[in-house]
């Protein structure tokens, strides 16, 4: 069959050169566009898929009189409390939203400051997320007060080296006007484009919490940070959802419930309806995939159809 198609293409090329090239250009353009769309959709689907498959984000629903409001912000101490009190949790970490320290400046050795994006992150950050470390111990990298971890490119910009553990860095932010001095405890590889989270440095979460009892983020009624958990093997996410649904009520917080969402799906499933994850973006990717397949078949048909028609007309004339 394939040999027959090649022979037909060759014969039509010899007989109808002008029509052949016009159709060939159309086929090439159509298939090229389809391939580019496919690569884009495939790239979207692969976002955050390199992390542990047992990694989940804890989401919070606020039950109001006129409906349910879903937010990703949770109490600042939720991660450490869940890790201590819920046996199904292997490890947990709290981080700040990207926009909190997204417009920061960093400097070292009294050099001019450069722009950088940062995040507050708990001590188990590199145990929860699969970002590769160049230097530093993932069990200790952010455990000390006023410590930071920086990216490889940031280390090169500030020190022209990645051997910077123990050196001092200064960072500042529009929300925190004062300069903050911190010791570098590790260097991680630059965040790839397959990650929805993009940052240049991480600040110890202790800086956000402050001394015991002196920070609003130690209160169960204060929200903002994001909470991520890695479940132990063989833990059923549905049963875990049922268990943590009313967890905040045990802390004296009413009208709020919790549920988890696989972190690998957070990029495509980032919208909520009535307290549940909406499937809009994922459905769109599936629809585009289907369109690519149909459009490819259409291009192939458009390429072959004129030659088939001419061949059929020739056969009819010979029979006439």
């Amino acid at each position: 069959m394939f040999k027959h198609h090649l022979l037909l293409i060759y014969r039509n090329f010899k007989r109808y050169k002008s029509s052949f090239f016009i159709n060939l250009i159309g086929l090439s353009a159509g298939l090229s566009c389809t391939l580019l769309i496919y690569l884009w959709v495939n790239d979207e689907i692969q976002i955050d898929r390199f992390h542990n498959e047992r990694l989940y984000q804890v989401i919070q629903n606020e039950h109001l009189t006129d409906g349910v409001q879903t937010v990703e912000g949770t109490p600042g101490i939720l991660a450490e409390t869940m890790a201590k009190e819920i046996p199904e949790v292997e490890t947990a970490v709290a981080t700040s939203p990207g926009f909190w320290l997204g417009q920061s400046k960093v400097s070292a050795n009294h050099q001019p400051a450069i722009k950088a994006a940062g995040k507050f992150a708990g001590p188990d950050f590199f145990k929860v997320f699969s970002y590769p470390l160049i230097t530093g111990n993932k069990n200790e990298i952010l455990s000390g007060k006023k410590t930071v971890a920086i990216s490889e490119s940031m280390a090169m910009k500030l020190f022209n080296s990645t051997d910077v553990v123990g050196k001092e860095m200064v960072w500042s932010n529009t929300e925190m006007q004062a300069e903050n001095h911190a010791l570098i405890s590790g260097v991680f590889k630059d965040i790839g484009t397959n990650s929805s989270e993009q940052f240049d440095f991480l600040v110890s979460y202790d800086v956000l919490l402050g001394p015991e009892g002196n920070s609003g983020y130690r209160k169960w009624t204060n929200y903002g940070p994001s909470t991520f958990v890695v479940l132990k093997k063989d833990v059923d996410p549905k049963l875990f959802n049922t268990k943590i649904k009313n967890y905040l009520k045990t802390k004296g917080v009413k009208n709020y419930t919790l549920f988890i969402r696989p972190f690998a799906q957070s990029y495509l499933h980032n919208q909520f309806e009535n307290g549940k994850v909406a499937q809009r973006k994922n459905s769109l990717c599936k629809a585009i995939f289907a369109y690519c397949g149909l459009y490819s078949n259409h291009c192939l048909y458009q390429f072959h159809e004129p030659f088939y028609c001419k061949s059929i007309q020739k056969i009819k004339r010979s029979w006439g």
Side-chain angles (χ1 to χ4, degrees):
M1 188 68 178
F2 182 70
K3 184 177 181 181
H4 169 73
H5 280 292
L6 290 177
L7 182 61
L8 182 62
I9 291 173
Y10 175 74
R11 286 177 177 175
N12 285 319
F13 169 69
K14 298 289 288 185
R15 294 175 184 175
Y16 315 106
K17 291 184 178 180
S18 59
S19 299
F20 178 87
F21 278 114
I22 292 174
N23 289 324
L24 181 62
I25 291 172
L27 174 65
S28 301
L31 292 180
S32 297
C33 291
T34 300
L35 178 60
L36 290 175
I37 294 172
Y38 169 81
L39 292 174
W40 174 77
V41 173
N42 186 64
D43 183 67
E44 291 286 287
I45 292 175
Q46 296 304 317
I47 297 293
D48 293 330
R49 297 284 177 175
F50 61 94
H51 293 293
N52 191 327
E53 62 181 7
R54 293 181 283 116
L55 172 60
Y56 294 84
Q57 182 176 5
V58 181
I59 309 296
Q60 183 171 258
N61 281 332
E62 181 181 4
H63 298 269
L64 307 171
T65 55
D66 56 347
V68 179
Q69 182 179 1
T70 305
V71 294
E72 296 184 1
T74 57
I77 56 175
L78 180 62
E80 62 177 280
T81 307
M82 292 182 74
K84 293 177 182 178
E85 297 182 354
I86 303 179
E88 290 87 349
V89 175
E90 183 175 292
T91 185
V93 71
T95 70
S96 64
F99 64 88
W100 281 17
L101 299 181
Q103 301 294 324
S104 300
K105 292 183 178 181
V106 299
S107 63
N109 298 326
H110 305 290
Q111 296 297 318
I114 59 177
K115 293 181 179 180
K119 291 172 72 74
F120 291 108
D124 290 331
F125 182 86
F126 289 97
K127 293 168 64 176
V128 171
F129 293 94
S130 301
Y131 299 112
L133 283 173
I134 297 176
T135 58
N137 186 330
K138 68 178 182 179
N139 296 316
E140 303 174 355
I141 192 169
L142 290 170
S143 58
K145 292 184 178 180
K146 293 187 177 182
T147 58
V148 294
I150 64 176
S151 67
E152 181 180 9
S153 60
M154 184 62 59
M156 295 302 296
K157 289 178 182 178
L158 295 177
F159 303 98
N160 200 32
S161 170
T162 58
D163 185 18
V164 296
V165 173
K167 295 184 178 181
E168 186 180 74
M169 184 189 85
V170 180
W171 65 275
S172 61
N173 183 267
T174 53
E175 299 297 327
M176 303 176 69
Q177 297 292 338
E179 291 186 343
N180 299 273
H181 295 255
L183 291 179
I184 299 172
S185 58
V187 178
F188 55 88
K189 288 188 177 181
D190 292 339
I191 307 300
T193 56
N194 62 338
S195 172
S196 61
E197 299 284 336
Q198 296 292 323
F199 50 87
D200 302 303
F201 69 98
L202 297 169
V203 181
S204 172
Y205 196 67
D206 288 340
V207 176
L208 180 64
L209 290 181
E212 188 70 33
N214 290 349
S215 171
Y217 291 107
R218 290 189 179 275
K219 299 178 181 179
W220 286 102
T221 54
N222 203 335
Y223 311 104
S226 300
T227 298
F228 303 91
V229 297
V230 175
L231 300 183
K232 292 180 179 179
K233 294 180 180 179
D234 301 325
V235 172
D236 187 338
K238 293 182 179 180
L239 295 178
F240 184 78
N241 261 333
T242 302
K243 182 171 184 175
I244 69 168
K245 182 178 180 179
N246 296 311
Y247 182 72
L248 291 179
K249 291 183 179 179
T250 65
K251 306 302 178 183
V253 182
K254 300 179 180 180
N255 300 326
Y256 287 89
T257 57
L258 301 176
F259 69 94
I260 57 172
R261 172 188 62 186
F263 183 70
Q265 299 179 10
S266 60
Y267 180 72
L268 293 178
H269 302 77
N270 60 353
Q271 294 180 324
F272 306 92
E273 294 178 352
N274 298 320
K276 296 181 180 180
V277 178
Q279 302 286 330
R280 293 177 184 175
K281 198 169 184 180
N282 190 46
S283 299
L284 176 62
C285 288
K286 290 181 180 179
I288 294 176
F289 257 128
Y291 171 79
C292 288
L294 292 174
Y295 189 65
S296 298
N297 289 331
H298 174 72
C299 291
L300 291 171
Y301 172 77
Q302 289 292 97
F303 178 71
H304 285 294
E305 190 265 345
F307 304 120
Y308 279 124
C309 289
K310 291 177 181 179
S311 298
I312 292 173
Q313 290 172 2
K314 184 177 180 181
I315 292 173
K316 287 182 178 180
R317 285 196 299 268
S318 65
W319 285 353

